[in-house]
Amino acid sequence: MSYCILLAFLIGFIAGLRSLTAPAVVSWAARLGWIHLENSPLAFLGAAITPWIFTILALAELVADQLPTTPSRKSPLGFSARILMGALSGAAFGAAGGSLAVGAIMGALGGVAGTFGGYEARKRLAAAFGKDQPAAFLEDAVAIAGALLLALQA
């Protein structure tokens, strides 16, 4: 159970970096049987269409993140989305470990930590690189690889 709580926090952290990457990977994990959500309120994550929808949205988010007009992740809408997607993704790991509610709470907390931690890390990397785009691509890679590694641990 405690291992699932840690995974829930970490997948929430990923949602703080890229709000839709976490649920996309969690949905694929459910679809492929890596996370068992059958007979839970989150069974829809493993439906045939759900991973595709989240994947399309996640790809759109990766593109939108590169645009100069994209608002800060700390804006109310962006911050709320990261917390909500962290809670959803964390709940999936929590459900697999026996406590959907604890997973949701830990995922939401991870979303908060990932939002602020990712913001600070990207700001410092962008300063070191002299521009934002390499830092953004690095953050994308960390979010995708991290989410995949977590899904494989479930």
Side-chain angles (χ1 to χ4, degrees), residues 64-118:
D65 182 62
Q66 301 298 320
L67 302 174
T69 57
T70 301
S72 168
R73 72 184 76 205
K74 298 187 308 182
S75 71
L77 183 60
F79 189 47
S80 298
R82 292 168 196 287
I83 293 170
L84 182 63
M85 292 298 108
L88 174 66
S89 301
F93 281 108
S99 181
L100 187 140
V102 172
I105 292 166
M106 293 307 293
L109 292 173
V112 171
T115 298
F116 289 109

Side-chain angles (χ1 to χ4, degrees), residues 16-144:
L17 300 178
R18 293 287 176 272
S19 62
L20 293 162
T21 297
V25 171
V26 166
S27 187
W28 277 110
R31 181 72 187 151
L32 296 172
W34 300 348
I35 298 174
H36 297 284
L37 300 175
E38 304 84 7
N39 303 316
S40 82
L42 299 177
F44 74 94
L45 288 172
I49 191 72
T50 310
W52 294 103
I53 292 169
F54 274 120
T55 299
I56 290 167
L57 293 171
L59 291 171
E61 179 184 31
L62 293 175
V63 171
D65 182 62
Q66 301 298 320
L67 302 174
T69 57
T70 301
S72 168
R73 72 184 76 205
K74 298 187 308 182
S75 71
L77 183 60
F79 189 47
S80 298
R82 292 168 196 287
I83 293 170
L84 182 63
M85 292 298 108
L88 174 66
S89 301
F93 281 108
S99 181
L100 187 140
V102 172
I105 292 166
M106 293 307 293
L109 292 173
V112 171
T115 298
F116 289 109
Y119 174 82
E120 287 300 319
R122 181 163 164 182
K123 184 171 74 171
R124 292 174 189 190
L125 283 170
F129 287 129
K131 56 184 175 177
D132 184 62
Q133 196 170 37
F137 286 140
L138 185 57
E139 187 178 13
D140 293 343
V142 167
I144 294 166

